[in-house]
Coordinates of all heavy atoms in Angstrom, one line a residue:
M24 N 122.4 86.3 55.9 CA 121.5 85.9 57.0 C 120.4 84.9 56.5 O 119.9 85.0 55.5 CB 120.8 87.2 57.5 CG 119.8 86.9 58.6 SD 119.0 88.3 59.3 CE 118.0 88.9 58.0
R25 N 120.3 84.0 57.3 CA 119.3 83.0 56.9 C 117.8 83.5 57.3 O 117.6 83.9 58.4 CB 119.5 81.7 57.6 CG 120.8 81.0 57.1 CD 121.1 79.7 57.8 NE 119.9 79.0 58.2 CZ 119.9 77.8 58.9 NH1 121.1 77.3 59.1 NH2 118.9 77.2 59.3
A26 N 117.0 83.5 56.3 CA 115.7 84.0 56.5 C 114.9 83.2 57.5 O 114.0 83.7 58.2 CB 115.0 84.2 55.2
R27 N 115.1 81.9 57.5 CA 114.4 80.9 58.3 C 114.6 81.3 59.8 O 113.7 81.3 60.6 CB 114.8 79.5 58.0 CG 114.0 78.5 58.9 CD 114.4 77.1 58.5 NE 113.7 76.1 59.3 CZ 113.9 75.7 60.5 NH1 114.9 76.4 61.2 NH2 113.2 74.9 61.1
S28 N 115.9 81.5 60.2 CA 116.2 81.8 61.6 C 115.6 83.1 62.0 O 115.1 83.3 63.2 CB 117.7 81.8 61.8 OG 118.3 82.7 61.1
A29 N 115.5 84.1 61.1 CA 114.9 85.4 61.5 C 113.5 85.2 61.6 O 112.9 85.8 62.5 CB 115.2 86.4 60.4
F30 N 112.8 84.4 60.7 CA 111.4 84.2 60.8 C 111.0 83.4 62.1 O 110.0 83.8 62.7 CB 110.9 83.4 59.5 CG 109.5 83.0 59.6 CD1 108.6 84.0 59.3 CD2 109.1 81.7 59.8 CE1 107.2 83.7 59.4 CE2 107.7 81.5 59.8 CZ 106.8 82.4 59.6
V31 N 111.7 82.4 62.4 CA 111.4 81.7 63.7 C 111.6 82.5 64.9 O 110.7 82.5 65.8 CB 112.5 80.4 63.8 CG1 112.4 79.8 65.1 CG2 112.1 79.4 62.7
Y32 N 112.7 83.4 64.9 CA 112.8 84.3 66.1 C 111.7 85.2 66.2 O 111.2 85.5 67.2 CB 114.2 85.0 66.0 CG 114.4 86.0 67.1 CD1 114.7 85.5 68.4 CD2 114.4 87.3 66.9 CE1 114.9 86.4 69.4 CE2 114.6 88.2 67.9 CZ 114.9 87.7 69.2 OH 115.0 88.6 70.3
A33 N 111.3 85.8 65.1 CA 110.2 86.9 65.0 C 108.9 86.1 65.5 O 108.1 86.7 66.3 CB 110.1 87.5 63.7
L34 N 108.6 84.9 64.9 CA 107.5 84.2 65.4 C 107.4 83.9 66.9 O 106.4 84.0 67.6 CB 107.3 82.9 64.5 CG 106.0 82.1 64.8 CD1 104.8 82.9 64.3 CD2 106.2 80.8 64.1
L35 N 108.5 83.5 67.4 CA 108.7 83.1 68.9 C 108.4 84.4 69.7 O 107.8 84.3 70.8 CB 110.0 82.4 69.2 CG 110.1 81.0 68.6 CD1 111.5 80.5 68.9 CD2 109.0 80.1 69.2
R36 N 109.0 85.5 69.3 CA 108.8 86.8 70.0 C 107.4 87.1 70.0 O 106.9 87.7 71.0 CB 109.7 87.9 69.4 CG 111.1 87.8 69.7 CD 111.5 88.1 71.1 NE 110.9 89.3 71.6 CZ 111.6 90.4 71.8 NH1 112.9 90.5 71.5 NH2 111.0 91.5 72.3
L37 N 106.7 87.0 68.8 CA 105.3 87.4 68.8 C 104.4 86.4 69.7 O 103.5 86.9 70.4 CB 104.7 87.3 67.4 CG 105.2 88.4 66.5 CD1 104.8 88.1 65.0 CD2 104.6 89.8 66.9
L38 N 104.8 85.1 69.7 CA 104.0 84.3 70.6 C 104.3 84.6 72.0 O 103.4 84.4 72.8 CB 104.5 82.8 70.3 CG 103.9 82.2 69.1 CD1 104.5 80.8 68.8 CD2 102.4 82.1 69.1
A39 N 105.5 85.0 72.3 CA 105.8 85.4 73.8 C 105.0 86.6 74.2 O 104.8 86.7 75.4 CB 107.3 85.7 73.9
F40 N 104.5 87.4 73.3 CA 103.7 88.5 73.7 C 102.1 88.1 73.6 O 101.5 88.3 74.6 CB 103.9 89.7 72.8 CG 102.9 90.8 73.0 CD1 103.0 91.6 74.0 CD2 101.8 90.9 72.1 CE1 102.1 92.6 74.3 CE2 100.9 92.0 72.4 CZ 101.0 92.8 73.4
F41 N 101.7 87.5 72.5 CA 100.3 87.2 72.3 C 99.8 86.2 73.2 O 98.6 86.2 73.6 CB 100.0 86.9 70.9 CG 99.9 88.1 70.1 CD1 100.9 88.3 69.1 CD2 99.1 89.2 70.3 CE1 100.9 89.6 68.3 CE2 99.0 90.3 69.5 CZ 100.0 90.5 68.5
V42 N 100.5 85.1 73.6 CA 100.0 84.1 74.5 C 99.7 84.7 75.9 O 98.5 84.5 76.4 CB 100.9 82.9 74.5 CG1 100.5 82.0 75.7 CG2 101.0 82.2 73.2
P43 N 100.6 85.4 76.6 CA 100.2 86.0 77.9 C 99.1 87.0 77.7 O 98.2 87.2 78.6 CB 101.5 86.6 78.3 CG 102.6 86.0 77.7 CD 102.0 85.5 76.3
F44 N 99.1 87.8 76.6 CA 98.0 88.8 76.4 C 96.7 88.1 76.3 O 95.7 88.6 76.9 CB 98.4 89.6 75.2 CG 97.4 90.7 74.9 CD1 97.4 91.9 75.7 CD2 96.4 90.7 73.9 CE1 96.4 92.9 75.5 CE2 95.5 91.6 73.6 CZ 95.6 92.8 74.5
G45 N 96.7 87.1 75.6 CA 95.4 86.3 75.4 C 94.9 85.7 76.7 O 93.7 85.7 77.0
I46 N 95.8 85.2 77.5 CA 95.5 84.7 78.8 C 94.9 85.8 79.7 O 93.9 85.6 80.4 CB 96.6 83.9 79.5 CG1 96.9 82.6 78.6 CG2 96.4 83.5 80.9 CD1 98.2 81.9 79.0
M47 N 95.6 86.9 79.8 CA 95.2 88.0 80.6 C 93.8 88.6 80.1 O 93.1 89.1 81.0 CB 96.2 89.1 80.6 CG 97.4 88.7 81.5 SD 98.5 90.1 81.8 CE 99.6 89.7 80.5
M48 N 93.5 88.6 78.9 CA 92.3 89.0 78.4 C 91.1 88.1 78.9 O 89.9 88.6 78.7 CB 92.2 89.1 76.9 CG 93.2 90.3 76.4 SD 92.9 91.9 77.1 CE 91.3 92.3 76.5
L49 N 91.3 87.0 79.4 CA 90.3 86.2 79.9 C 89.8 86.7 81.3 O 88.7 86.3 81.7 CB 90.8 84.7 80.1 CG 91.1 84.0 78.8 CD1 91.8 82.6 79.1 CD2 90.0 83.8 77.9
F50 N 90.6 87.5 81.9 CA 90.2 88.1 83.2 C 89.4 89.3 83.0 O 89.7 90.2 82.3 CB 91.5 88.4 84.1 CG 92.3 87.2 84.4 CD1 93.5 87.0 83.9 CD2 91.8 86.3 85.4 CE1 94.3 86.0 84.2 CE2 92.6 85.2 85.7 CZ 93.8 85.0 85.1
P51 N 88.2 89.4 83.7 CA 87.4 90.6 83.5 C 88.0 91.9 83.8 O 87.7 92.9 83.2 CB 86.2 90.3 84.5 CG 86.2 88.8 84.7 CD 87.7 88.5 84.6
V52 N 88.8 92.0 84.8 CA 89.4 93.2 85.1 C 90.4 93.7 84.0 O 90.3 94.9 83.7 CB 90.3 93.1 86.5 CG1 91.0 94.4 86.8 CG2 89.3 92.7 87.6
L53 N 91.2 92.8 83.5 CA 92.1 93.3 82.5 C 91.4 93.4 81.1 O 92.0 94.1 80.3 CB 93.3 92.2 82.4 CG 94.2 92.3 83.6 CD1 95.2 91.1 83.5 CD2 94.8 93.6 83.7
R54 N 90.3 92.9 81.0 CA 89.4 93.0 79.7 C 89.0 94.5 79.6 O 89.0 95.0 78.5 CB 88.3 92.0 79.7 CG 87.7 91.8 78.3 CD 86.7 90.8 78.3 NE 87.0 89.5 78.8 CZ 86.3 88.7 79.5 NH1 85.0 89.0 79.7 NH2 86.7 87.5 80.0
E55 N 88.6 95.1 80.8 CA 88.2 96.5 80.8 C 89.4 97.4 80.6 O 89.2 98.5 79.9 CB 87.5 96.8 82.0 CG 86.2 96.1 82.2 CD 85.7 96.4 83.6 OE1 86.2 97.2 84.4 OE2 84.6 95.7 84.0
Q56 N 90.6 97.0 81.1 CA 91.8 97.9 80.9 C 92.8 97.1 80.0 O 93.8 96.6 80.5 CB 92.4 98.2 82.2 CG 91.4 99.0 83.1 CD 91.9 99.4 84.4 OE1 92.9 98.8 84.9 NE2 91.3 100.3 85.1
Y57 N 92.5 97.0 78.8 CA 93.4 96.2 77.8 C 94.7 96.7 77.7 O 95.7 96.0 77.5 CB 92.7 96.1 76.5 CG 92.6 97.5 75.8 CD1 93.5 97.9 75.0 CD2 91.4 98.3 76.0 CE1 93.5 99.2 74.4 CE2 91.3 99.5 75.5 CZ 92.3 100.0 74.7 OH 92.3 101.2 74.1
W58 N 94.9 98.1 77.9 CA 96.3 98.7 77.9 C 97.2 98.1 78.9 O 98.3 98.0 78.8 CB 96.2 100.1 77.9 CG 95.5 100.7 79.1 CD1 94.1 100.9 79.2 CD2 96.1 101.0 80.3 NE1 93.9 101.4 80.5 CE2 95.0 101.5 81.2 CE3 97.4 101.0 80.8 CZ2 95.3 101.9 82.5 CZ3 97.6 101.4 82.1 CH2 96.6 101.9 82.9
L59 N 96.6 97.9 80.2 CA 97.3 97.3 81.3 C 97.7 95.9 81.0 O 98.9 95.5 81.2 CB 96.6 97.4 82.5 CG 97.2 97.1 83.8 CD1 98.4 98.1 84.0 CD2 96.2 97.2 85.0
A60 N 96.9 95.1 80.3 CA 97.2 93.8 79.9 C 98.3 93.8 78.8 O 99.2 92.9 78.9 CB 96.0 93.1 79.4
A61 N 98.2 94.8 78.0 CA 99.3 94.8 76.9 C 100.6 95.1 77.6 O 101.7 94.6 77.1 CB 98.9 95.9 75.9
I62 N 100.7 96.0 78.5 CA 101.9 96.3 79.2 C 102.5 95.1 79.9 O 103.7 94.8 79.8 CB 101.8 97.5 80.2 CG1 101.5 98.8 79.4 CG2 103.0 97.7 81.2 CD1 101.1 100.0 80.3
F63 N 101.6 94.4 80.7 CA 102.1 93.2 81.4 C 102.5 92.2 80.4 O 103.6 91.5 80.7 CB 101.0 92.7 82.3 CG 100.7 93.5 83.5 CD1 99.5 93.5 84.0 CD2 101.6 94.2 84.1 CE1 99.2 94.3 85.3 CE2 101.5 94.9 85.2 CZ 100.2 95.0 85.8
A64 N 101.8 92.0 79.3 CA 102.2 91.0 78.3 C 103.6 91.3 77.7 O 104.4 90.5 77.4 CB 101.1 90.9 77.2
A65 N 103.8 92.6 77.5 CA 105.1 93.0 76.9 C 106.2 92.7 77.8 O 107.3 92.2 77.5 CB 105.0 94.5 76.6
L66 N 106.0 93.0 79.2 CA 107.0 92.7 80.1 C 107.3 91.2 80.3 O 108.4 90.7 80.3 CB 106.6 93.3 81.5 CG 106.6 94.8 81.6 CD1 106.1 95.3 82.9 CD2 108.0 95.4 81.4
I67 N 106.2 90.5 80.3 CA 106.3 89.0 80.3 C 107.0 88.4 79.1 O 107.9 87.6 79.1 CB 105.0 88.3 80.6 CG1 104.4 88.6 81.9 CG2 105.0 86.8 80.3 CD1 102.9 88.2 82.1
G68 N 106.6 89.0 77.9 CA 107.3 88.6 76.6 C 108.7 88.9 76.6 O 109.6 88.1 76.1
L69 N 109.1 90.0 77.1 CA 110.5 90.5 77.2 C 111.3 89.5 78.1 O 112.3 89.1 77.7 CB 110.6 91.9 77.7 CG 112.0 92.4 77.8 CD1 112.7 92.5 76.5 CD2 112.0 93.7 78.6
S70 N 110.7 89.2 79.2 CA 111.4 88.3 80.2 C 111.5 86.9 79.6 O 112.6 86.3 79.7 CB 110.6 88.2 81.5 OG 110.4 89.4 82.1
L71 N 110.5 86.4 78.9 CA 110.6 85.0 78.3 C 111.6 85.0 77.2 O 112.4 84.0 77.1 CB 109.2 84.6 77.8 CG 108.2 84.3 78.9 CD1 106.7 84.0 78.1 CD2 108.5 83.1 79.7
S72 N 111.5 86.1 76.4 CA 112.6 86.0 75.3 C 114.0 86.2 75.8 O 115.0 85.5 75.2 CB 112.3 87.1 74.3 OG 112.6 88.4 74.9
M73 N 114.2 86.9 76.9 CA 115.6 87.0 77.4 C 116.0 85.6 78.0 O 117.2 85.2 78.0 CB 115.7 88.0 78.5 CG 115.6 89.4 77.9 SD 115.6 90.7 79.2 CE 117.2 90.5 79.9
L74 N 115.1 84.9 78.6 CA 115.4 83.6 79.3 C 115.6 82.5 78.3 O 116.4 81.7 78.3 CB 114.3 83.2 80.3 CG 114.4 84.1 81.6 CD1 113.2 83.8 82.4 CD2 115.6 83.9 82.3
F75 N 114.6 82.4 77.3 CA 114.5 81.2 76.4 C 114.8 81.4 75.0 O 115.0 80.4 74.3 CB 113.1 80.6 76.6 CG 112.7 80.2 78.0 CD1 111.7 80.9 78.6 CD2 113.3 79.2 78.6 CE1 111.3 80.5 79.9 CE2 113.0 78.8 79.9 CZ 112.0 79.5 80.6
L76 N 115.0 82.5 74.5 CA 115.2 82.7 73.1 C 116.7 83.2 72.8 O 116.9 83.9 71.9 CB 114.2 83.7 72.5 CG 112.8 83.3 72.6 CD1 111.9 84.4 72.0 CD2 112.5 82.0 71.9
R77 N 117.6 82.8 73.6 CA 118.9 83.3 73.5 C 119.6 82.7 72.2 O 120.2 83.3 71.3 CB 119.8 82.9 74.7 CG 121.3 83.3 74.5 CD 121.5 84.7 74.6 NE 121.0 85.3 75.8 CZ 120.7 86.6 75.9 NH1 121.0 87.5 74.9 NH2 120.3 87.2 77.0
R78 N 119.4 81.3 72.0 CA 119.9 80.6 70.8 C 119.4 81.2 69.5 O 120.2 81.5 68.6 CB 119.7 79.2 70.9 CG 120.5 78.4 69.7 CD 120.3 77.0 69.8 NE 120.9 76.4 71.1 CZ 120.4 75.4 71.7 NH1 119.4 74.7 71.4 NH2 121.0 75.1 72.8
P79 N 118.1 81.4 69.3 CA 117.6 82.0 68.0 C 118.1 83.4 67.8 O 118.4 83.8 66.7 CB 116.0 81.9 68.1 CG 115.7 80.9 69.2 CD 117.0 80.9 70.1
L80 N 118.3 84.2 68.9 CA 118.7 85.5 68.8 C 120.2 85.5 68.3 O 120.6 86.3 67.5 CB 118.6 86.3 70.1 CG 119.2 87.7 70.1 CD1 118.5 88.6 69.1 CD2 119.1 88.2 71.5
D81 N 121.0 84.6 68.9 CA 122.4 84.4 68.5 C 122.5 84.1 67.0 O 123.4 84.6 66.3 CB 123.1 83.4 69.4 CG 123.3 83.9 70.8 OD1 123.3 85.2 70.9 OD2 123.6 83.0 71.7
E82 N 121.7 83.2 66.5 CA 121.7 82.7 65.2 C 121.3 83.9 64.2 O 122.0 84.1 63.2 CB 120.7 81.6 64.8 CG 121.1 80.3 65.5 CD 120.0 79.3 65.3 OE1 119.0 79.5 64.6 OE2 120.2 78.2 65.9
V83 N 120.3 84.7 64.6 CA 120.0 85.9 63.7 C 121.1 86.9 63.8 O 121.4 87.5 62.7 CB 118.7 86.5 64.2 CG1 118.4 87.8 63.6 CG2 117.5 85.5 64.0
S84 N 121.7 87.2 65.0 CA 122.8 88.1 65.1 C 124.0 87.7 64.3 O 124.7 88.6 63.6 CB 123.1 88.4 66.6 OG 122.0 88.8 67.3
T85 N 124.4 86.5 64.4 CA 125.5 85.9 63.6 C 125.2 86.1 62.1 O 126.1 86.4 61.3 CB 125.7 84.5 63.9 OG1 126.0 84.4 65.4 CG2 126.9 83.9 63.3
G86 N 124.0 85.8 61.6 CA 123.7 85.9 60.3 C 123.8 87.3 59.7 O 124.4 87.6 58.6
I87 N 123.3 88.3 60.5 CA 123.4 89.7 60.2 C 124.9 90.1 60.1 O 125.3 90.8 59.2 CB 122.6 90.5 61.1 CG1 121.1 90.3 61.0 CG2 122.9 92.0 60.9 CD1 120.2 90.9 62.0
A88 N 125.6 89.7 61.1 CA 127.1 90.1 61.1 C 127.8 89.5 59.9 O 128.6 90.2 59.3 CB 127.7 89.6 62.4
E89 N 127.5 88.3 59.6 CA 128.2 87.7 58.5 C 127.8 88.4 57.1 O 128.7 88.6 56.2 CB 127.8 86.2 58.3 CG 128.5 85.4 59.4 CD 128.0 83.9 59.4 OE1 127.0 83.6 58.7 OE2 128.5 83.1 60.2
T90 N 126.5 88.7 56.9 CA 126.1 89.4 55.8 C 126.8 90.8 55.7 O 127.2 91.2 54.6 CB 124.5 89.6 55.8 OG1 123.9 88.2 55.9 CG2 124.1 90.3 54.6
R91 N 126.8 91.5 56.8 CA 127.5 92.9 56.8 C 129.0 92.7 56.5 O 129.5 93.6 55.7 CB 127.2 93.5 58.1 CG 125.8 93.9 58.2 CD 125.6 94.8 59.4 NE 126.1 96.1 59.1 CZ 126.1 97.1 59.9 NH1 125.6 97.0 61.1 NH2 126.6 98.3 59.5
A92 N 129.6 91.7 57.0 CA 131.1 91.6 56.8 C 131.2 91.2 55.3 O 132.2 91.7 54.7 CB 131.6 90.4 57.7
A93 N 130.4 90.4 54.8 CA 130.6 90.0 53.3 C 130.4 91.2 52.5 O 131.1 91.4 51.5 CB 129.6 88.8 53.0
R94 N 129.4 92.0 52.8 CA 129.1 93.3 52.0 C 130.3 94.2 52.1 O 130.6 94.8 51.1 CB 127.8 93.9 52.5 CG 127.4 95.0 51.6 CD 126.0 95.6 52.1 NE 125.0 94.6 51.9 CZ 123.9 94.4 52.7 NH1 123.7 95.3 53.6 NH2 123.0 93.6 52.4
K95 N 130.8 94.3 53.3 CA 131.9 95.2 53.5 C 133.2 94.8 52.7 O 133.9 95.6 52.1 CB 132.3 95.4 55.0 CG 133.3 96.5 55.3 CD 133.4 96.7 56.8 CE 134.5 97.8 57.0 NZ 134.6 98.0 58.4
R96 N 133.4 93.5 52.7 CA 134.5 92.9 52.0 C 134.4 93.1 50.5 O 135.3 93.5 49.8 CB 134.7 91.4 52.2 CG 135.8 91.0 53.1 CD 135.9 89.5 53.3 NE 135.1 89.1 54.4 CZ 134.1 88.2 54.2 NH1 133.9 87.6 53.1 NH2 133.4 87.9 55.2
A97 N 133.1 93.0 50.0 CA 132.9 93.2 48.6 C 133.1 94.7 48.2 O 133.6 94.9 47.2 CB 131.4 92.7 48.2
E98 N 132.6 95.6 49.0 CA 132.8 97.0 48.8 C 134.3 97.4 48.8 O 134.8 98.1 48.0 CB 132.1 97.8 49.7 CG 130.6 97.7 49.6 CD 129.8 98.4 50.7 OE1 130.5 99.0 51.6 OE2 128.6 98.4 50.6
S99 N 135.1 96.8 49.8 CA 136.5 97.1 49.8 C 137.3 96.5 48.6 O 138.2 97.1 48.1 CB 137.1 96.6 51.1 OG 137.1 95.2 51.2
D100 N 136.8 95.3 48.1 CA 137.4 94.8 46.9 C 137.2 95.7 45.7 O 138.1 95.8 44.9 CB 136.9 93.4 46.7 CG 137.3 92.3 47.7 OD1 138.3 92.6 48.4 OD2 136.7 91.3 47.7
E101 N 136.0 96.2 45.6 CA 135.7 97.1 44.6 C 136.5 98.4 44.6 O 137.0 98.9 43.6 CB 134.3 97.4 44.6 CG 133.3 96.3 44.1 CD 131.9 96.6 44.3 OE1 131.5 97.8 44.7 OE2 131.0 95.7 44.1
A102 N 136.8 98.8 45.8 CA 137.6 100.1 45.9 C 139.0 99.9 45.6 O 139.7 100.6 44.9 CB 137.5 100.5 47.3
V103 N 139.5 98.6 45.9 CA 140.9 98.3 45.6 C 141.0 98.1 44.1 O 142.0 98.6 43.4 CB 141.3 96.9 46.2 CG1 142.7 96.4 45.6 CG2 141.4 97.2 47.7
E104 N 140.0 97.5 43.4 CA 140.1 97.4 42.0 C 139.9 98.7 41.3 O 140.7 99.0 40.3 CB 139.0 96.5 41.5 CG 139.1 95.0 41.8 CD 137.9 94.2 41.5 OE1 136.9 94.8 41.0 OE2 138.0 93.0 41.8
D105 N 139.1 99.7 41.8 CA 139.0 100.9 41.2 C 140.3 101.8 41.3 O 140.7 102.5 40.4 CB 137.8 101.8 41.8 CG 136.5 101.1 41.4 OD1 136.4 100.4 40.4 OD2 135.5 101.4 42.1
A106 N 140.9 101.6 42.5 CA 142.2 102.4 42.7 C 143.3 101.8 41.8 O 144.1 102.6 41.4 CB 142.6 102.3 44.2
A107 N 143.3 100.5 41.5 CA 144.3 99.9 40.6 C 144.1 100.4 39.2 O 145.1 100.4 38.4 CB 144.3 98.4 40.7
N108 N 142.9 100.6 38.8 CA 142.7 101.1 37.3 C 143.0 102.5 37.2 O 143.3 103.4 37.1 CB 141.3 100.8 37.0 CG 141.1 99.3 36.8 OD1 142.0 98.6 36.5 ND2 139.9 98.8 37.0

């Protein structure tokens, strides 16, 4: 897995939460009830990530799948070698 793609995806997800949260904290009503602003920001961030972060998520998922497949192949090769000896 490429660490850069995972870092970019994580950073974009954090921004998708903190930007709406910061904007909502500018309103006096939500400043008093920060937990409500956090819930709304989480819902907005989830929606934004589902709409706009599909490509970074695919890159991260593909990288994880490739890493796991390579690890599984290496483990199966070791098992075949151990069985041959």
Side-chain angles (χ1 to χ4, degrees):
M24 177 178 70
R25 290 180 31 182
R27 182 181 182 279
S28 61
F30 178 74
V31 168
Y32 178 69
L34 182 66
L35 290 173
R36 285 291 307 259
L37 286 171
L38 284 175
F40 172 77
F41 282 115
V42 169
F44 183 73
I46 291 171
M47 282 188 267
M48 291 307 291
L49 296 175
F50 297 110
V52 173
L53 292 175
R54 201 177 302 148
E55 293 174 8
Q56 298 178 346
Y57 62 90
W58 57 272
L59 192 59
I62 291 172
F63 287 150
L66 292 173
I67 291 169
L69 177 67
S70 301
L71 289 174
S72 67
M73 288 176 65
L74 290 173
F75 298 113
L76 299 181
R77 179 67 60 195
R78 185 177 298 148
L80 176 61
D81 288 340
E82 290 175 7
V83 171
S84 300
T85 303
I87 291 172
E89 290 172 354
T90 303
R91 291 189 72 180
R94 186 176 297 150
K95 187 174 183 178
R96 255 185 273 121
E98 290 173 359
S99 66
D100 289 345
E101 291 172 3
V103 169
E104 289 173 1
D105 290 341
N108 291 333

